Amino acid sequence: MGARDVRVAVIGAGPSGIATAIALRRSGITDYVVLEKGDDVGGTWRENTYPGCGCDVPSHWYSYSFDPNPFWSRFYSRQPEIQRYFRASARRHDVYDDIRFGVAVTAARWDPAAQRWRLKTSDGEYTAQVLAAAPGPLHEPVVPSLPGTFEGTAFHSARWDHGHDLTGKRVAVIGTGASAIQFIPEIAPKVASLHVFQRTPSWVLSKLDFSIPWTAQYLMRTVPITGRAVRLGIYAVHEAIGVAFRHEALMRRVQTAARLQLFRQVRDARLRAKLSPSFTLGCKRIMVSNTYYPALTRSNVQVHPAAARLTANSVIGADGVAAAVDTIIYGTGFEITDPPVARYVFDGDGNSLASRWSTDPPQAYLGTAIAGFPNLFVFLGPNLAPGHASVLGTIENQAQYVADAVSAMARSGWASLQVRPEVHRRYNEAVAKALGPTVYNAGGCSSYYRDAEGHNVANWPWSVARLYRDLRFRAGDYQVTNADRDLVNA
Ligand SMILES: Cc1cc2nc3c(=O)[nH]c(=O)nc-3n(C[C@H](O)[C@H](O)[C@H](O)COP(=O)(O)OP(=O)(O)OC[C@H]3O[C@@H](n4cnc5c(N)ncnc54)[C@H](O)[C@@H]3O)c2cc1C
């Protein structure tokens, strides 16, 4: 079978892929396909089903602005409800049937002669004028390779083994990131013993979590402006906190709230010392939970330093103390600084994005376009995370960016566009400079925000308002060619 040709190919049907399909459709572009290796939409929310899984940004902001949901049952909703929302949204906007499920993209190469992307997939070859890569920033689970072999049951939180009953088991949790702090309080009461192996303690702020009464849901349904006001209020509070992220000294004051929560919830001074971070709040991802610290104070729970080695039936910590267990749960997060997509996207000379990013730090223009990779738009690329915001706003703006670029290409008859190298360079210099005084860089920690060389490849250094304002397609930022591969004026 020959390659199927489309104007736009989208990789992934998570929140980004769905938003892109909706934005394309709304712009009158129907010649696109969404390729999704899973069997449903939702991405993160399809894959992560661990107990207690939910968002840590309030739901009225962790949802599309164009598709508000007055019926969120909690201020911070749980995974099943979030997954239902994205499925319903894809159906409501008529894009669900444009998704080819069970199709994994294994390679994408820019063909300069044809001015098209050539995609190898588990369903044969596709060609596309534009490639929108939305395979997820937190998608590939990381399991540390510890010396030794464990013979019990082991799984990563993103691949939760629901067939394995934890009741009465002796369990080790390795890693204390955002997922672990959600599932530890859920499993602690049912296991016989829980050994938590922590490399670095994180700051944990309390979570204003409550169920939303049906009267409030009804009000937001019948008077939509009230729902919009709630969203705006949530945004305003997060934007205000964002000021502290940009000024490390100010953040140290905000940190008092987290220290107070630790003091209030953990009365044992030795345990409190183990759980006290040595860096400024916000330098690593901030955790929010009301139940994590109380879970760690239970008599069947013990906190250990980082796991160092495994035996057939135990995990041994960096202090040499062994914990006998029959189950290991890895709460060790995802591949972030070395995203898998970079290994299968190639420029016109056959160089992968990963090889480019191994010589230069991972960079993109507005986290979206990459010099040397024509007609490619990446979602949630380098330096697009403000650290204090819902990713959904960024996604929506990126989706519109792609739709506007594709519309401009169709309108003007452009075959390709590629961000101008000087625009790319100037932008990334400004980002690096602005990141200097932020808590991400000046907060005294090493984090997944920074690569092995210490370059911050994750954070957006300015306000969320500026992110939304800057993330606009401007043809002048691009070199444009016509079908004869001649440069034309944008
Ligand atoms: C447990 C958890 C909780 C989170 N909570 C929050 C939160 O509260 N607030 C927040 O702002 N962010 C949160 N995030 C971040 C979250 O990843 C994003 O909010 C959001 O899911 C990103 O959407 P996405 O569509 O870009 O990626 P994803 O949701 O990861 O979707 C990517 C999709 O691409 C598919 N895919 C990947 N590779 C291929 C391929 N080669 N071929 C075909 N398909 C492919 C995957 O199967 C997946 O369906 C959380 C993440 C996790 C893991």
Side-chain angles (χ1 to χ4, degrees):
M1 189 172 56
R4 279 150 288 186
D5 187 61
V6 286
R7 188 179 283 275
V8 187
V10 182
I11 305 177
S16 299
I18 299 169
T20 308
I22 295 172
L24 288 171
R25 222 168 231 295
R26 285 181 159 184
S27 303
I29 301 151
T30 52
D31 182 14
Y32 70 88
V33 67
V34 182
L35 305 171
E36 167 56 58
K37 67 180 177 181
D39 60 0
D40 200 356
V41 297
T44 286
W45 307 103
R46 186 194 76 244
E47 290 172 330
N48 290 268
T49 59
Y50 59 79
C53 179
C55 54
D56 52 20
V57 167
S59 292
H60 290 278
W61 198 20
Y62 193 81
S63 40
Y64 300 129
S65 65
F66 57 79
D67 195 9
N69 175 17
F71 300 116
W72 289 117
S73 65
R74 303 192 66 79
F75 200 57
Y76 292 88
S77 301
R78 296 291 179 95
Q79 172 269 335
E81 194 174 359
I82 302 172
Q83 164 70 346
R84 279 199 300 279
Y85 167 80
F86 284 114
R87 198 184 291 126
S89 194
R91 289 212 183 276
R92 252 192 309 274
H93 294 88
D94 260 349
V95 300
Y96 198 92
D97 294 333
D98 299 331
I99 303 165
R100 311 261 163 93
F101 292 109
V103 180
V105 177
T106 52
R109 286 168 203 282
W110 174 247
D111 178 345
Q115 303 265 291
R116 283 204 125 48
W117 281 96
R118 293 193 178 282
L119 273 63
K120 283 210 172 87
T121 81
S122 55
D123 180 40
E125 207 185 335
Y126 286 79
T127 54
Q129 185 183 22
V130 170
L131 178 61
L138 304 177
H139 173 63
E140 208 60 55
V142 169
V143 173
S145 59
L146 295 168
T149 307
F150 179 68
E151 287 175 4
T153 302
F155 53 88
H156 188 278
S157 61
R159 304 281 182 270
W160 196 270
D161 183 350
H162 290 280
H164 182 70
D165 185 7
L166 292 173
T167 312
K169 296 278 193 316
R170 297 167 307 160
V171 178
V173 171
I174 298 182
T176 52
S179 298
I181 79 154
Q182 290 187 337
F183 69 74
I184 284 173
E186 302 288 320
I187 64 172
K190 59 156 71 164
V191 300
S193 58
L194 185 60
H195 298 272
V196 177
F197 289 85
Q198 165 194 267
R199 194 171 54 185
T200 331
S202 294
W203 286 110
V204 182
L205 286 172
S206 60
K207 192 172 184 179
L208 188 68
D209 194 15
F210 53 89
S211 54
I212 300 176
W214 72 264
T215 40
Q217 295 180 27
Y218 180 75
L219 182 67
M220 285 188 263
R221 171 76 184 88
T222 47
V223 190
I225 197 169
T226 53
R228 283 203 290 278
V230 169
R231 185 180 172 103
L232 190 65
I234 296 167
Y235 156 77
V237 168
H238 284 75
E239 191 74 299
I241 296 171
V243 176
F245 279 84
R246 298 194 288 281
H247 302 280
E248 198 264 342
L250 185 57
M251 190 55 118
R252 271 187 266 133
R253 297 179 180 223
V254 179
Q255 188 174 294
T256 312
R259 202 175 281 291
L260 214 63
Q261 144 123 328
L262 176 59
F263 186 76
R264 211 168 34 82
Q265 293 193 321
V266 181
R267 305 307 298 181
D268 174 353
R270 278 181 51 200
L271 179 58
R272 210 164 51 229
K274 284 187 193 174
L275 299 175
S276 296
S278 57
F279 54 84
T280 312
L281 175 75
C283 186
K284 285 173 184 277
R285 183 168 166 182
I286 298 177
M287 310 289 163
V288 285
S289 174
N290 302 327
T291 51
Y292 177 60
Y293 286 148
L296 298 184
T297 64
R298 293 176 61 92
S299 57
N300 65 335
V301 179
Q302 236 180 296
V303 178
H304 301 258
R309 196 148 75 77
L310 307 177
T311 70
N313 56 5
S314 72
V315 179
I316 300 173
D319 56 358
V321 175
V325 295
D326 34 52
T327 306
I328 297 178
I329 306 173
Y330 290 98
T332 36
F334 301 87
E335 196 61 80
I336 296 179
T337 47
D338 181 22
V341 63
R343 281 177 246 133
Y344 61 78
V345 171
F346 299 87
D347 67 11
D349 297 323
N351 303 311
S352 70
L353 192 48
S355 68
R356 157 84 79 88
W357 283 348
S358 64
T359 48
D360 304 329
Q363 288 183 342
Y365 174 57
L366 295 170
T368 308
I370 300 158
F373 288 79
N375 296 10
L376 170 70
F377 300 101
V378 293
F379 275 77
L380 304 176
N383 297 104
L384 265 195
H388 61 285
S390 165
V391 102
L392 266 284
T394 310
I395 286 173
E396 263 185 66
N397 282 283
Q398 283 196 287
Q400 196 53 51
Y401 191 106
V402 174
D404 290 348
V406 175
S407 301
M409 292 175 86
R411 225 178 16 249
S412 313
W414 299 332
S416 77
L417 42 78
Q418 180 174 177
V419 64
R420 293 176 183 279
E422 68 277 15
V423 171
H424 196 277
R425 182 180 42 76
R426 270 203 307 270
Y427 164 79
N428 281 291
E429 283 169 2
V431 167
K433 185 158 178 249
L435 277 167
T438 64
V439 72
Y440 319 116
N441 281 22
C445 72
S446 68
S447 74
Y448 65 67
Y449 296 153
R450 291 195 276 165
D451 69 7
E453 279 75 47
H455 300 112
N456 187 321
V457 296
N459 297 115
W460 172 261
W462 299 292
S463 67
V464 179
R466 178 162 172 181
L467 175 62
Y468 295 174
R469 190 198 68 200
D470 287 2
L471 250 178
R472 292 271 168 271
F473 174 72
R474 294 174 191 85
D477 292 340
Y478 286 84
Q479 285 171 343
V480 176
T481 65
N482 61 19
D484 298 326
R485 299 174 64 193
D486 295 326
L487 281 176
V488 292
N489 286 330

